[in-house]
Amino acid sequence: MNLPVPTCADCGVPRFSKKPKKSPYCRRCVGRHTSRLPERRAKASAAMKAHLSDPTVRAHHFARANAGLREAMKDPAFVEKRRELGRRTGLLKRGMSKHPAGSPLRISNGKKSAATKLAWCPPEYRDEYKRLIKRQNIPAAEARRMIEAMIEADARRYHATGVLPQAARIEGAEA
Ligand SMILES: [Zn+2]
């Protein structure tokens, strides 16, 4: 497609460069079109996953994103827009589901799916596992390795001392 294109194929804006154009789209439209191509999406997704697989980069990324959001939330117009978008997403979900959250089917499905997904994790470690994933943004596979290491360490301590560390942790949490 190395031909001169006088106007953008999307918005029709005139393009004045004398050089042949690589793309039929103008600068403002080209991103919108390339980002729809499946191979470009796959490439971008793979690059992003590789980038975020580094724990340091990952922590930095979330810190920056959270700081950006906190800054944006100072603007009442942004807050209102965000609230409105959330409301619309919520309505959409409710409209699509015959079984809203809290209905018997959703509760039983949730329990079944949790039992399958968390079958590897003893119940006394599940709160800690959820905390790692939800509060610390740790990927599930890594959180699982951490919990498994914790289970092993607890078992070693139990053999050595006869004290169940996980039981003490649960009692401590309730107190
Ligand atoms: Zn255009």
Side-chain angles (χ1 to χ4, degrees):
M1 231 179 271
N2 266 320
L3 295 168
V5 184
T7 56
C8 170
D10 186 322
C11 70
V13 78
R15 303 166 82 199
F16 295 109
S17 171
K18 292 207 172 85
K19 277 193 256 170
K21 297 291 189 189
K22 280 187 191 163
S23 160
Y25 304 110
C26 73
R27 274 170 191 236
R28 297 185 69 170
C29 296
V30 70
R32 200 163 56 246
H33 286 273
T34 49
S35 67
R36 280 182 193 147
L37 300 171
E39 66 269 25
R40 288 294 290 259
R41 294 179 75 103
K43 201 178 158 192
S45 163
M48 197 60 177
K49 276 179 190 152
H51 180 62
L52 288 179
S53 67
D54 179 341
T56 319
V57 172
R58 196 177 177 83
H60 186 68
H61 172 88
F62 281 110
R64 213 170 36 180
N66 288 338
L69 182 60
R70 256 196 306 277
E71 191 55 39
M73 291 297 271
K74 287 177 186 167
D75 174 10
F78 177 83
V79 174
E80 189 42 49
K81 193 177 158 195
R82 200 163 181 264
R83 188 173 292 145
E84 186 48 42
L85 282 172
R87 209 174 280 141
R88 242 188 280 162
T89 312
L91 286 174
L92 202 67
K93 272 192 198 155
R94 226 179 303 166
M96 286 194 303
S97 177
K98 281 184 202 161
H99 306 281
S103 64
L105 185 79
R106 288 277 291 273
I107 290 172
S108 84
N109 279 357
K111 279 186 185 153
K112 269 185 239 161
S113 125
T116 313
K117 286 186 206 155
L118 285 172
W120 63 270
C121 185
E124 63 269 35
Y125 294 94
R126 285 184 189 172
D127 285 347
E128 176 64 9
Y129 174 68
K130 284 179 200 155
R131 192 185 68 79
L132 291 176
I133 290 178
K134 297 209 170 129
R135 307 229 118 226
Q136 311 234 26
N137 291 317
I138 291 170
E142 200 189 325
R144 178 172 176 168
R145 276 196 294 276
M146 289 164 74
I147 294 292
E148 281 169 348
M150 199 180 199
I151 294 171
E152 252 187 67
D154 283 352
R156 270 199 304 273
R157 252 190 82 191
Y158 175 61
H159 285 304
T161 63
V163 177
L164 265 178
Q166 61 268 50
R169 213 171 290 134
I170 288 168
E171 280 158 23
E174 277 170 357

